[in-house]
Structure formats: structure tokens, C-alpha cells
Amino acid sequence: MTDVETRYVDVAVVGAGQAGLSAAYHLRRAGFAPDRDVVVLDHSPAPGGAWQFRWPSLTYGKVHGMYDLPGLPLVDAPEDRPSSEVIGDYFARYERTFDLRVRRPVDVASVSEGAGGRLLVRTRDDGDWSARALVNATGTWDRPFLPHYPGAETFRGRQLHTAGYRGPEDFAGERVVVVGGGTSAVQHLLEIAEVADTLWVTRRPPVFRDGPFDERRGREAVALVDERVRAGLPPRSVVSVTGLVMNEAVRRGRESGVLEPRPMFTRITPEGVAWDDGGGTAPADSILWATGFRAALDHLAPLRLRERGGGIRLEGTRAVRDPRVHLVGYGPSASTIGANRYGRAAVREVRRLLETPARAAG
């Protein structure tokens, strides 16, 4: 790209899931005009963030704590409708209501140092953008985490991650090992057990929690994740510190033995999984890895934001190594409640940055 093709804005928002839309909304309210002062770039094909890729059997009634976006409540959503459709429609309506003008699909290749103290946002399909500040809201869906265990390459069955899960019918009549201790693993098990033999394995014993996941509990969980981010360590998911919701379906699953976990296996065999030291073996036709995701931040690598601990150290939403860069949907803001709160906080910090004479002169 030549310099002539580079377009200039005050703020670039990368990602249009809940955190990105929250930031775009607050930028709009603060007087930043779309296309003139701010651009929102999203690589997904349609509105809905990561929700648009969720499996059809994950209906809205099964969603774990979805909070409204600021300024537009999500009301009267049918609980038996797929969450991908409910939230996709909601996000689309939100973008229209507040005229956020999200550009998609746009794939951001890199963010690097640009001219005059600006950041250069290079895309693979929408040219280059020069911005004085960046709000990064790329989430985690594009980086499914699949741990390696000895023998994985010898397994004769099928291995897939939650990101590729489409529903229980794909496993009818099989023997299925589900790996992971989070909400997705529980949802997969409860569904698949209706049509297949299942076995649950987890690295740590799962913790089940009674009572509603209300705003107070959400903020407590966010605070725990925030401690790691402030230390420059890779964040754990907010769900990892909240525990698993004990609802009626989960209670039945525990009583029936479907949700009775075994310790993590030590190796994978051609026919299944095995535990050393006398733990035995278990046959499997499929291994479903519900092992979570990692932050999708490779495009920020040129800015060298990572600390020795492997994470990006933040003060609020601001990257300590570069105050022009703000991360939302990362660490403490990687939850629906955190996304809204930190989207507003990021815009507050961005306004302060842009009002600083030294930065404005650049």
C-alpha cells in the first residue's frame, strides 16, 4: 500500500463483538463520527461476534449470563431459538440503531508503528488505516486451544474442538471422551449423552456453584482475572473463576453419572485414552476438546506489548508498554459484563490520550 491509500482516523476499533460494539457506542456518544474520526473493522462475515459461530443446539435459554449492550436492551428473546440467531440479530439491530458503520469482513494483518506517532493498521482486504489510538477487541474465538498429549497422532478416531462442534447428532452411537472443565464441556456432555456413551475428563476437579450468577459475582470474578493481567501474565477466562452453574439439568446430569469426571488421561492410544500407574484405558470413537481459547493478538506482535510472563500488562484497558493501545475483551473484560464496563473505560482513556497536547501535535 502507498501512503496515498492510507486513510486517517483518530481511533481504530478492531473487532465488533460485544466489547468492540460497546467501545464503538461510547465513542459515538463522545462525539467521534464514524468513518471520519473512528473506524470499526470486523473480520467476521456478519454481525454477532463469536456468537454467530456457536452450535445450533446452544439455544438462548442455555446461554451463560448474557448482558445487554449499552443503550439497547435485549428483550423478549425466545429461549428455544439458537443463541447464534438471537444475538446475531441483536448485534445487527444495535449497529443500525447507533449507526456504527462496521466494515466487514475485514482481516487486520498487523498493527505497527506508523508515521508521526500514529499507529499503522494494515489489513488484507481494506487497505491501511492510520490511527492515533487503537481499541483492540478481537476476543478469542479464532484461537482455539488444543493441548497435546502423547499419542494424539496415533488416534484412529476423530478429534475436534468446541469451535468445530455442531451438535450431538454427529456423535450418535459413538463412545465420546469430552475433555475440559468449563461450561462448554458440561453443555456438550448433557447433549451427547442422549445419543452416545460419554466419558468426562478434567485436569482439575470441577467446582459447581449454587445460586444465580448476578452482577456482584460477575464483578468479583472480573477482579480475580484482573490481578493476573496487572502482573503481565496470560489471563485466565472469567468462567474459570466463577465455577459451574448448578441448574436442574446439571443436577440431573450429576445424579445420572454423566457429569462424574475422571482425572485427565496421560496418553492417547489408537483406540482411545489411557491412564498410567494402573488407571486403565477407555475406548473412544471421538475426542471432543472443550479446552477453551486463547486471546487472538498476533496482529499486535510488531508493537512488542508482551511481558516476560507471556501476557500484556494492562492498567485498566491501557497497554502499559504503549498507551495508544487499549484492549477490551481481554482478561477481565472477556465476559459480557466486563465487555460493557471496559468498553466505556477504554473510551474514557482514549479521550484523555487524544486531548494530550504532545500526542495531538504528533
Side-chain angles (χ1 to χ4, degrees):
M1 296 292 171
T2 66
D3 192 57
V4 173
E5 295 171 302
T6 301
R7 286 150 294 177
Y8 292 79
V9 290
D10 285 330
V11 188
V13 178
V14 181
Q18 186 149 4
L21 292 183
S22 172
Y25 167 84
H26 287 292
L27 284 165
R28 194 84 160 93
R29 281 179 58 92
F32 292 84
D35 297 332
R36 186 194 71 191
D37 306 317
V38 60
V39 64
V40 184
L41 308 173
D42 184 39
H43 85 143
S44 294
W51 291 100
Q52 66 193 276
F53 306 114
R54 307 284 176 157
W55 52 99
S57 56
L58 180 62
T59 56
Y60 183 67
K62 297 178 182 177
V63 169
H64 180 61
M66 174 68 193
Y67 287 84
D68 293 338
L69 283 160
L72 185 67
L74 173 55
V75 295
D76 299 328
E79 294 200 346
D80 60 350
R81 190 181 178 201
S83 60
S84 58
E85 297 178 7
V86 171
I87 298 175
D89 289 350
Y90 173 50
F91 281 17
R93 181 160 52 92
Y94 192 84
E95 293 177 17
R96 292 193 303 269
T97 299
F98 298 108
D99 191 25
L100 300 181
R101 303 185 200 177
V102 178
R103 302 174 72 95
R104 63 167 60 88
V106 176
D107 189 17
V108 173
S110 65
V111 181
S112 58
E113 188 64 46
R118 287 175 165 266
L119 295 165
L120 179 62
V121 181
R122 311 208 81 156
T123 78
R124 293 187 174 91
D125 34 31
D126 193 37
D128 294 350
W129 296 84
S130 175
R132 296 168 64 194
L134 176 82
V135 178
N136 191 83
T138 44
T140 63
W141 186 260
D142 296 321
R143 286 199 61 200
F145 175 65
L146 211 159
H148 176 75
Y149 278 81
E153 66 282 357
T154 71
F155 183 57
R156 296 195 184 107
R158 172 180 50 164
Q159 297 187 61
L160 72 159
H161 187 273
T162 289
Y165 178 80
R166 301 307 299 161
E169 58 278 359
D170 291 345
F171 303 90
E174 292 189 358
R175 297 162 298 183
V176 184
V177 175
V178 178
V179 184
T183 302
S184 293
V186 170
Q187 291 172 342
H188 297 335
L189 283 157
L190 293 176
E191 290 186 346
I192 296 171
E194 297 289 330
V195 298
D197 292 330
T198 59
L199 177 68
W200 187 19
V201 296
T202 64
R203 280 197 308 123
R204 291 184 295 269
V207 176
F208 292 92
R209 171 184 52 77
D210 284 307
F213 184 69
D214 55 20
E215 188 166 335
R216 179 185 62 80
R217 286 191 174 185
R219 292 189 186 281
E220 290 173 353
V222 165
L224 291 172
V225 179
D226 187 53
E227 290 178 12
R228 287 182 61 86
V229 171
R230 287 181 178 273
L233 298 172
R236 292 176 181 163
S237 68
V238 172
V239 172
S240 71
V241 297
T242 63
L244 296 165
V245 175
M246 178 64 79
N247 56 29
E248 189 55 37
V250 170
R251 188 170 285 107
R252 289 196 303 268
R254 296 190 76 188
E255 292 171 353
S256 68
V258 170
L259 297 182
E260 187 62 41
R262 285 194 63 178
M264 192 66 201
F265 50 76
T266 51
R267 55 193 170 89
I268 300 173
T269 71
E271 294 78 26
V273 298
W275 293 260
D276 292 340
D277 301 325
T281 63
D285 300 298
S286 293
I287 301 174
L288 175 54
W289 298 88
T291 44
F293 300 79
R294 299 293 183 265
L297 299 174
D298 289 350
H299 57 292
L300 299 181
L303 297 177
R304 301 181 181 275
L305 301 177
R306 292 193 184 275
E307 303 292 333
R308 293 181 64 181
I312 297 178
R313 187 156 62 96
L314 302 182
E315 289 292 339
T317 63
R318 174 175 54 85
V320 170
R321 289 182 177 265
D322 193 329
R324 298 170 298 179
V325 178
H326 291 259
L327 271 63
V328 294
Y330 174 83
S333 60
S335 66
T336 57
I337 185 173
N340 288 353
R341 174 184 170 194
Y342 283 83
R344 180 175 62 249
V347 171
R348 188 165 53 242
E349 290 294 323
V350 164
R351 292 182 68 187
R352 290 196 190 105
L353 172 74
L354 299 183
E355 290 168 358
T356 302
R359 204 43 96 175

